[in-house]
Structures are given as C-alpha cells and as structure tokens.
Amino acid sequence: TYRIISKMLTIDYVSLPNIIANKPIVKELLQDNATVENIKNEMLKILDHQNQISQITEFTDLHQSLIAQADIQSANAIDLLMN
C-alpha cells in the first residue's frame, strides 16, 4: 500500500513539523528506513547537546511563525465579520 500511495502523493514531508515548516526539522524514517539502526542513530543525534540546541531553535522559529500576531489577526477577522 505504501509503495502505491507514495507514488501518488505530491507532498515532500509526512510529519507535521516538516509540513508546516516546508523543510526537514525532524527526521522521517518511513517503511524500510525505520530500522532499529536508523532509529538508534537518530536518537543519538537528538541526545547530542549541539543537535538539541539546533532542533530547539528550529521548533522555536516554527512556533513563532504559527503565533505571528495571532491576536491582531483574530481581531481583524472579527472586525470584518461585524462590519
């Protein structure tokens, strides 16, 4: 099923952080790539202090982009509905 569907999909990423950021933030280990060895290697990378800082920075940037002036945008949307 995966092999059939993967040929039909036009998205670059499957994990939500990567989709939202439109770039790889977290490693996606799918199907044949989800081996014990690959998972172990990715976990070791995450546990590395420098990689932790890098990933925290990426998630912070992603968070900021999601909340960018949400209060102002909400107020403007309500104003448009009311007028």
Side-chain angles (χ1 to χ4, degrees):
T1 304
Y2 171 79
R3 294 188 200 296
I4 295 168
I5 296 297
S6 66
K7 303 294 184 209
M8 297 168 31
L9 291 177
T10 59
I11 59 173
D12 294 326
Y13 307 106
V14 296
S15 69
L16 193 53
N18 294 350
I19 291 170
I20 294 170
N22 198 32
K23 65 179 183 178
I25 293 178
V26 296
K27 182 74 172 183
E28 298 178 341
L29 298 173
L30 306 174
Q31 296 292 312
D32 294 336
N33 290 326
T35 65
V36 171
E37 188 67 23
N38 287 345
I39 293 169
K40 179 192 82 165
N41 290 337
E42 289 306 313
M43 289 303 300
L44 290 173
K45 287 180 189 176
I46 290 170
L47 294 174
D48 176 67
H49 181 70
Q50 193 59 41
N51 287 332
Q52 285 178 359
I53 292 170
S54 175
Q55 195 164 50
I56 288 169
T57 301
E58 290 283 352
F59 275 106
T60 300
D61 293 345
L62 179 61
H63 179 251
Q64 290 302 315
S65 73
L66 291 173
I67 64 167
Q69 299 181 341
D71 55 342
I72 295 170
Q73 292 178 18
S74 298
N76 289 338
I78 291 169
D79 188 47
L80 284 173
L81 290 172
M82 300 298 287
N83 294 322

